[in-house]
Amino acid sequence: MRSVKSLLAAGAASLISSMAFAADMPIAAPPPMYAPPAPPADFGGWYLRGDIGFSNQKTKDVHYTRESAYSQLTSFNQQSSFDTGGIYGIGAGYRFNSWFRADVTGQYRGNANFKATDRFTGTAGGLPYSGIDNYSASKSEWLFLTNAYVDLGTWWCITPFVGAGVGAARVSIANFSDTGINNLPFSTASFATAPTSSKWNFAWAAHAGLAYKVNPNLVLELAYSYVNLGEGQTGVLSDYTGATTNNVFKFKDITSHDVKLGVRWNLDSPPAYMPPLVTKG
C-alpha cells in the first residue's frame, strides 16, 4: 500500500511541475491578419483618343452675292448635295468621375464633292425669262472642339453617353464652277469659276454613342455627331474670258450627320496590388 501511495505522490508532483513550467512560458501571438486592399476607384485620369468616320453633309443654299437691279425672280428652286467625306480626328481629355469627362479634339474632314442646280424664272427689262445654273465644287474643313460628356451607366462593359461641344471650323471651298443657260431673249450660255477660299466660323456639335470597355486601359466608341460648321465662301468669280466679277458664292448653314469609330487610351491605369497572405492552420 505504501508503494502505491508513493507512486501516486510522485505522479502528482510531476504533473504540478509540468503545469508550472508551462505557465512560465510566453503565450505565442496569433498570426497577423491581412485585410485585402480596397479596390482602386474606377474613375479619374487623363486619356488620349483617336477617331475615324464619315460625314453626311448639306447646306441650306448656295447664294450669289450680286443682286441684279433690273431682274426679278418670280420662282426659284435649288437642289444640292455633298458626297460623303472622310473624318480623321485626335484628341486628349480627362475623366473627372464615373459619369463626367471632357476632351479637346481636332478633326480633318476630307474633300466632299458638291453638286447643285438652280431652276428659276423671272423678268428682266420687262421681259420674262427662265434659266438653269449648275454648280460644282469640293469642300473640306478643319474642326476644333471642346467637348463635355455624361456617361449614363455601365451594363456588361457597355456605357451609353451623350455630349456637346463648341469650337471653330475652317471651311475651305475649292474647284468651284458655275455653268448656266437662260432664254432672254434667246438662249445664252454662261461659265464662271472661282479660286479656293477658306473661312473661319463658330462651330458646335451634339454627340451620342456607346462605349465598350475592353480592359482598364482601352475603350472603344461608336458615336454619332450632329455638327454645325457655319458657312463657306468661294473666291472672287471670273467669267470665261478671265474677267473678274467682284462677287462670290456663299454656302449657307453647312451641317453634317457624322458616324465615327473611336478609341480611348487611359493613361492612368489602376495600380497593381499584392494578394492578401493566406495562412494554413
Side-chain angles (χ1 to χ4, degrees):
M1 179 65 69
R2 180 174 302 175
S3 62
V4 172
K5 290 181 179 180
S6 299
L7 183 60
L8 291 176
S14 177
L15 178 61
I16 293 172
S17 175
S18 298
M19 292 175 62
F21 179 77
D24 291 337
M25 291 183 64
I27 299 175
M33 302 295 292
Y34 293 93
D42 187 24
F43 57 81
W46 294 97
Y47 62 85
L48 300 177
R49 69 174 303 134
D51 300 273
I52 59 172
F54 59 89
S55 63
N56 180 15
Q57 303 176 84
K58 67 177 183 178
T59 182
K60 184 177 180 180
D61 66 72
V62 180
H63 178 70
Y64 189 35
T65 57
R66 185 188 68 186
E67 296 295 340
S68 176
Y70 60 88
S71 177
Q72 180 180 1
L73 294 180
T74 57
S75 69
F76 180 83
N77 178 53
Q78 183 177 97
Q79 296 178 332
S80 63
S81 66
F82 286 99
D83 291 343
T84 296
I87 299 172
Y88 313 93
I90 58 173
Y94 189 81
R95 191 178 183 197
F96 293 90
N97 52 44
S98 61
W99 59 271
F100 181 73
R101 56 190 168 86
D103 57 37
V104 177
T105 57
Q107 287 183 359
Y108 173 70
R109 305 167 64 88
N111 282 331
N113 293 326
F114 173 79
K115 301 288 185 182
T117 299
D118 287 343
R119 292 180 174 87
F120 53 87
T121 61
T123 60
L127 298 175
Y129 76 100
S130 62
I132 295 176
D133 275 314
N134 294 306
Y135 312 122
S136 65
S138 62
K139 181 179 67 64
S140 62
E141 298 94 19
W142 285 96
L143 176 64
F144 302 94
L145 294 174
T146 299
N147 307 284
Y149 309 89
V150 175
D151 292 328
L152 303 177
T154 301
W155 297 268
W156 304 287
C157 299
I158 298 175
T159 304
F161 64 86
V162 295
V166 295
R170 184 179 185 266
V171 179
S172 297
I173 306 295
N175 305 315
F176 182 85
S177 67
D178 171 13
T179 57
I181 187 169
N182 65 66
N183 62 0
L184 175 67
F186 47 84
S187 294
T188 59
S190 64
F191 178 76
T193 60
T196 301
S197 180
S198 299
K199 187 177 186 298
W200 283 98
N201 305 304
F202 172 77
W204 61 271
H207 312 292
L210 298 173
Y212 178 74
K213 187 174 183 180
V214 179
N215 58 48
N217 286 331
L218 183 64
V219 178
L220 301 181
E221 282 188 6
L222 178 62
Y224 161 82
S225 296
Y226 174 83
V227 185
N228 188 303
L229 298 160
E231 69 176 25
Q233 180 175 301
T234 70
V236 174
L237 289 168
S238 301
D239 64 18
Y240 69 94
T241 67
T244 59
T245 64
N246 296 321
N247 289 283
V248 300
F249 270 88
K250 290 188 176 181
F251 290 62
K252 292 285 190 177
D253 297 331
I254 302 170
T255 59
S256 182
H257 299 274
D258 298 345
V259 177
K260 298 172 293 181
L261 180 63
V263 59
R264 299 201 315 262
W265 181 261
N266 298 320
L267 300 179
D268 299 320
S269 59
Y273 286 89
M274 291 182 60
L277 296 178
V278 178
T279 60
K280 296 182 178 180

